[in-house]
Amino acid sequence: MTPTESGSPPQTWTEAERVAYLHDLRILDTAPEPAYDDLIRIAALVCEAPIALVSLVDADRQWFKAERGLGCSETPREQSVCALAFGGDDLVIPDLTADPRTAANPLVTGEPHMKFYAGAVIRTEAGLPLGSLCVLDRAARPEGLTEIQIETLRALARQVSALLEARRTRDAVAAREAELAAGERRFRVMAAAMPQMVWTTLPDGFHDFYNDRWYEFTGVPYGSTDGEGWNDMFHPDDQEQAWTRWRHSLATGEPYEIEYRLRHHSGTYRWTLGRAMPLHDAEGRIERWFGTCTDIEDLKRAEAEARKLAAVVAQSKDFIGITAPDGDVLHVNEAGRRLVGLPDPGSVAGTNILDYFTDASRAVVVEAVLPAVRSRGWWEGELAFRHRVTDEPIAVLYNIFSLSNDDGTPAGFATVTRDLRERKRAEEARDLLIRELSHRIKNIFAVVGGIAALSGRRDPAAKPFVDGFRRRLAALAQAHEYVRPHSPDSLPHEHGQTVLGLMRLILAAYTQDGRERIAIAGDDAPVGDRSATALALIVHEQATNAMKYGGLSTEGGTVTLTGARDGDTYRLTWAEAGGPRVEGPPDRQGFGTVLAERSVAGQLDGTLDQDWAPGGLVMRLGVPLANLLH
């Protein structure tokens, strides 16, 4: 036979498609198989050739699924003679050294010095050329192959194509079976892992599978609820409704969804949500039903609690509001809307948290309130709302706290705010009454002091006692004015009323030529009116005695008054220095000293110790912190 290249239809494939199909076969680099070896043995015998190959041409190599006489498993793509035949059905080259396409091929110029080639293309059913079944000889064959030999090669190539297609089909079937098996395993694992009870039925509704969660919940034996036994597990009042809804879904193919009470293994009935979806085949027929039962008893109870809470919010007299994280208001209850002049729930839409405040309070919200809520989660204090209609400021106790989602991300803010207008009016009335009482008490001090002064003038012998009495009375008046000022002008300079603030007021008169004879330092503590009166009397008495006999009786003498917190006790220490040498405690106690000691025990429930050291008297007063506020 003379050299030929039989014609073929125009090429309709691309190289990328051809290589991709070859790789999809997963045949490359597989082990030898007898079926392919037998085919090349037949080819070698029929064509009387020393070399026969099943050659598959990859992107950059040709790999031999079956090889006889060549001694290698692959060669580079540029050495492939088989690739030359992809444009036709077969290729015969009588003398490879004379053909310009192959004369320089290393397999021709070097070992194994091939001279003759004949091959039939291995094609897919779609016409993609994958390689060829070929024979080679080290001697040229000018006569080529006989017609019988050519037909044999073509038949053998078709057999290779059939083997490859069978492999592809077998792999696809195996993959599908593996996928189905894996899908079944995944379903079983998924059904076992799901927190819901899972069940499936046949197209007619026959229940044929329940997961373990169903049996754990119900406590019934495995398989006992197959078929139609499931309905007996429902509360008697729910069974007819469940059956009716299930029959409707079976008849129409509509999804099944219903709430019913399912009997728990404890014997109680718990609310459950039942759902099922139909699974269809390629033609749209229902293959199975897949369903779940979800225990919603806790949700039902939570809904009931939520309804109660909603009723509380709706009926509350306080302003209750909820905002989004950006401050946009989502809800304000009826009392809140009434407080700020919003007519209905719809009027809340589009408002922001800042819209509810006066200008001054809005600045506080921006600069202090919201940063505090974001950092520590809450803020409480007095602010002023703005009435949306009258623009009236409304004093409120504003309590705001942050809300979070289950994952901890911000969900917004909530507020429970109380109208303080009535309380403010009551406080103003009370303050007015207190100021009036303070004024009258101050007048009483003045009257009593005047009476004492009158008595001193009429009885010169009583004058020393009267002078001491008037000084004590003045100290008490100062203490009263400190803790109960009768006018804004008489308010203490310190923030609030404190022990050391009271001491500075009582002892201010002991400054000499700009020099403080009594140094006041240490920890401070708030003080109430009753405790202030007792402390004023005690310190005044100590200062009076120091001026007469102790540390303040000399030009260079001093007193140090130190406050200290010691757990639940407040300690006040009076230490004199620079006065006359102290020889010991006095022989008798004066009226003022006795009065002071009784005040410590009776009014303050405290202790008073005096150390008559040679260098100066040290007086230590201890009072429970809680009693100081009385």
Side-chain angles (χ1 to χ4, degrees):
M1 180 177 180
T2 58
T4 63
E5 292 184 53
S6 59
S8 62
Q11 179 174 315
T12 59
W13 47 269
T14 66
E15 176 66 8
E17 291 173 337
R18 188 191 70 78
V19 172
Y21 190 94
L22 179 61
H23 282 234
D24 286 344
L25 289 173
R26 292 185 294 182
I27 187 73
L28 297 176
D29 300 312
T30 58
E33 297 179 45
Y36 295 93
D37 293 340
D38 289 344
L39 294 178
I40 62 171
R41 186 178 299 110
I42 293 171
L45 291 173
V46 170
C47 297
E48 298 178 352
I51 300 173
L53 307 169
V54 172
S55 173
L56 300 175
V57 181
D58 198 358
D60 55 2
R61 62 170 179 159
Q62 64 173 353
W63 177 80
F64 308 130
K65 175 59 181 172
E67 174 268 325
R68 180 185 178 91
L70 186 60
C72 63
S73 60
E74 64 178 63
T75 64
R77 168 75 182 261
E78 57 269 18
Q79 296 181 12
S80 173
V81 180
C82 298
L84 300 176
F86 284 176
D89 291 330
D90 53 55
L91 175 65
V92 178
I93 303 178
D95 189 350
L96 294 172
T97 61
D99 193 302
R101 295 172 298 175
T102 59
N105 192 309
L107 298 177
V108 175
T109 60
E111 287 293 336
H113 297 288
M114 294 186 295
K115 299 294 192 296
F116 173 74
Y117 173 90
V121 178
I122 301 170
R123 293 185 183 276
T124 67
E125 293 180 354
L128 291 175
L130 304 179
S132 66
L133 188 147
C134 62
V135 293
L136 299 100
D137 201 343
R138 294 182 179 84
R141 295 189 183 185
E143 71 284 0
L145 295 179
T146 67
E147 190 65 32
I148 293 176
Q149 290 172 326
I150 286 292
E151 287 300 326
T152 300
L153 287 181
R154 290 174 179 167
L156 294 175
R158 288 193 296 270
Q159 288 301 309
V160 173
S161 296
L163 287 173
L164 294 176
E165 189 60 34
R167 178 189 182 87
R168 181 183 181 86
T169 302
R170 184 176 66 251
D171 288 349
V173 171
R176 178 59 177 165
E177 290 176 347
E179 182 181 349
L180 292 174
E184 179 69 16
R185 289 193 300 273
R186 285 193 296 269
F187 170 76
R188 296 282 178 173
V189 171
M190 178 187 69
M194 286 180 66
Q196 292 96 346
M197 294 164 269
V198 178
W199 48 271
T200 63
T201 80
L202 300 177
D204 60 1
F206 184 90
H207 287 68
D208 61 349
F209 170 78
Y210 293 93
N211 70 342
D212 291 342
R213 201 76 64 237
W214 166 268
Y215 295 107
E216 291 170 3
F217 182 93
T218 61
V220 300
Y222 279 77
S224 61
T225 50
D226 288 352
E228 298 178 354
W230 55 273
N231 200 44
D232 294 337
M233 301 301 300
F234 298 163
H235 191 283
D237 295 344
D238 300 335
Q239 291 182 10
E240 182 58 34
Q241 182 185 14
W243 258 119
T244 301
R245 187 70 188 86
W246 179 233
R247 291 192 187 100
H248 175 78
S249 294
L250 291 176
T252 62
E254 295 178 3
Y256 171 75
E257 182 169 332
I258 189 173
E259 292 182 4
Y260 46 71
R261 287 161 288 182
L262 183 62
R263 190 171 69 238
H264 189 253
H265 63 77
S266 63
T268 61
Y269 285 91
R270 295 178 64 86
W271 278 104
T272 306
L273 173 63
R275 286 175 170 168
M277 292 289 293
L279 305 178
H280 298 87
D281 61 15
E283 285 73 36
R285 295 185 297 267
I286 295 177
E287 289 185 321
R288 299 187 68 78
W289 287 83
F290 177 85
T292 60
C293 298
T294 305
D295 184 351
I296 59 171
E297 178 70 20
D298 293 340
L299 178 61
K300 283 284 190 180
R301 293 179 180 176
E303 289 176 348
E305 292 298 322
R307 286 192 294 270
K308 294 177 184 177
L309 180 60
V312 171
V313 171
Q315 298 172 17
S316 173
K317 302 304 180 183
D318 291 332
F319 180 109
I320 299 178
I322 299 175
T323 78
D326 60 1
D328 288 342
V329 179
L330 305 176
H331 173 76
V332 174
N333 67 339
E334 182 179 353
R337 297 194 303 273
R338 190 165 54 248
L339 178 66
V340 297
L342 292 173
D344 51 54
S347 60
V348 175
T351 62
N352 187 272
I353 190 173
L354 298 178
D355 298 335
Y356 291 75
F357 294 93
T358 62
D359 291 342
S361 290
R362 187 181 300 123
V364 176
V365 171
V366 172
E367 297 171 7
V369 175
L370 292 180
V373 176
R374 293 189 177 102
S375 63
R376 71 169 185 252
W378 64 275
W379 186 91
E380 182 178 85
E382 292 188 15
L383 294 172
F385 275 172
R386 177 181 65 86
H387 195 279
R388 303 299 293 273
V389 178
T390 66
D391 215 33
E392 169 199 0
I394 304 168
V396 295
L397 178 61
Y398 190 63
N399 185 319
I400 182 172
F401 49 93
S402 60
L403 303 174
S404 299
N405 296 309
D406 292 340
D407 59 0
T409 57
F413 308 102
T415 178
V416 180
T417 298
R418 179 151 296 176
D419 184 356
L420 293 183
R421 287 177 295 181
E422 285 298 326
R423 195 181 86 178
K424 288 289 185 182
R425 285 190 283 267
E427 288 176 352
E428 290 172 0
R430 184 194 64 191
D431 290 343
L432 178 62
L433 177 60
I434 289 173
R435 287 195 296 272
E436 182 63 23
L437 288 174
S438 294
H439 178 70
R440 292 184 183 276
I441 291 172
K442 187 175 182 181
N443 288 342
I444 291 172
F445 279 125
V447 170
V448 172
I451 293 173
L454 181 61
S455 299
R457 286 196 298 271
R458 291 181 177 178
D459 185 0
K463 189 175 186 304
F465 172 81
V466 169
D467 290 343
F469 177 76
R470 291 185 66 189
R471 285 194 298 272
R472 294 182 186 105
L473 194 64
L476 295 178
Q478 284 182 308
H480 172 77
E481 183 67 19
Y482 181 73
V483 295
R484 283 287 183 267
H486 73 278
S487 69
D489 293 337
S490 62
L491 286 172
H493 296 295
E494 292 84 358
H495 179 70
Q497 290 77 42
T498 67
V499 173
L500 298 188
L502 175 63
M503 296 299 103
R504 293 186 181 96
L505 177 66
I506 298 298
L507 302 173
Y510 294 91
T511 300
Q512 181 178 348
D513 299 329
R515 179 172 65 93
E516 292 184 354
R517 302 287 303 277
I518 302 176
I520 301 173
D523 300 333
D524 210 348
V527 65
D529 55 348
R530 192 177 73 178
S531 298
T533 301
L535 289 172
L537 183 60
I538 294 167
V539 172
H540 170 74
E541 195 64 31
Q542 289 297 126
T544 299
N545 290 335
M547 285 293 295
K548 290 180 178 179
Y549 318 110
L552 299 181
S553 64
T554 64
E555 184 67 25
T558 61
V559 174
T560 301
L561 184 61
T562 307
R565 289 175 178 263
D566 182 11
D568 295 333
T569 302
Y570 184 78
R571 303 193 184 280
L572 198 62
T573 301
W574 173 284
E576 300 179 12
R581 177 181 175 80
V582 177
E583 300 298 337
D587 295 333
R588 67 180 186 85
Q589 290 182 319
F591 171 74
T593 302
V594 173
L595 184 61
E597 290 181 349
R598 290 180 179 178
S599 296
V600 171
Q603 292 183 253
L604 300 177
D605 193 23
T607 60
L608 180 65
D609 297 323
Q610 291 177 316
D611 181 7
W612 300 91
L617 169 66
V618 177
M619 184 270 292
R620 298 180 180 87
L621 171 65
V623 182
L625 278 168
N627 293 353
L628 283 177
L629 297 174
H630 296 167

